[in-house]
Amino acid sequence: ALTMLLESLGRAPEGSWGAETLAGAVLEEIHGRLSEFSPRQLASIVRCLGHFQASPMVLKLLLDRAVEVATSEDAAEPFMPRHVAMLCQGIAQQPAELNPEARLEGLLPLITQALDSRPTAVTCVQLVAGLSRCVATPSRDIALASCAERLAARVHDLSAPSLVSLSSSLAALSPWVAPGDLLGRVALQLDIKRYDLAPGALGRAERALRRAGLGDQVELRLEPYDLETKVKPGMGWRRSWTPAQK
């Protein structure tokens, strides 16, 4: 019940009254009962940590316990790829003093195992986001190459916001460079799904893809709407076109 409550609070709109205070109370309760949670529940809890403020001590104990259980050879239940992605996503959102880079490096064997299970495109996006915070090592690059191969085949399954998120993550992976085929497929899907994006999102994705290595030979057409940072009053979700007049 505590895990479900924390997940619900994590989905609350930003600035919702009382959500932060209630989440803090839930985390304190979870902190006192860490041994009661399964590996999958701990992965879900860690993913939620990026949404709330918590004391460094509580965060450290939660992360230590989640990583310990996830990497234990005596785990009571196997980790599904999506739970590995949850864990990586939550760790990657933590401040530098909690050493997320080293924690993610320690999870590379688990990430590799998850990728061998042919995860969904959404799970691969979450893994790439986590790996963007990982120490650059040959093992990390092998995991990224596996993610890229899977994504190139299934990128059409991603929603428009997921494509924007993937673009940002790919731009943060230097010195590793994503394959040109994947970058081109992401650009194509963004072009197809452009009308599902908020103002300015496509422009941010296009700039991120260029930083990630997308060549000039691939054109991603941008409209004024795609360069905006806010919706002008009364404009709603309109673009540059208007309905035909009768």
Side-chain angles (χ1 to χ4, degrees), residues 210-231:
R210 299 298 179 195
R211 293 197 304 272
L214 182 68
D216 293 337
Q217 71 275 14
V218 179
E219 181 181 1
L220 185 54
R221 178 178 54 85
L222 299 178
E223 301 175 2
Y225 174 97
D226 302 317
L227 303 174
E228 294 177 5
T229 56
K230 297 180 180 179
V231 180

Side-chain angles (χ1 to χ4, degrees), residues 41-142:
Q41 288 174 322
L42 286 168
S44 179
I45 291 167
V46 169
R47 181 183 61 174
C48 294
L49 293 179
H51 299 294
F52 307 112
Q53 297 287 337
S55 72
M57 182 192 72
V58 170
L59 286 174
K60 182 179 183 304
L61 289 172
L62 283 168
L63 294 175
D64 287 347
R65 176 62 179 171
V67 171
E68 177 190 1
V69 171
T71 56
S72 172
E73 295 182 358
D74 301 324
E77 57 183 6
F79 250 30
M80 299 292 289
R82 65 189 182 93
H83 295 109
V84 177
M86 287 180 187
L87 188 59
C88 293
Q89 191 177 26
I91 291 174
Q93 294 174 336
Q94 300 310 310
E97 56 264 30
L98 292 173
N99 206 4
E101 294 85 358
R103 293 179 189 274
L104 288 164
E105 186 178 12
L107 289 176
L108 282 171
L110 193 63
I111 294 171
T112 301
Q113 182 181 342
L115 288 166
D116 289 340
S117 301
R118 298 179 62 82
T120 65
V122 171
T123 294
C124 286
V125 170
Q126 294 171 341
L127 288 172
V128 170
L131 289 168
S132 68
R133 192 81 188 272
C134 183
V135 178
T137 63
S139 296
R140 185 202 73 154
D141 292 351
I142 290 171

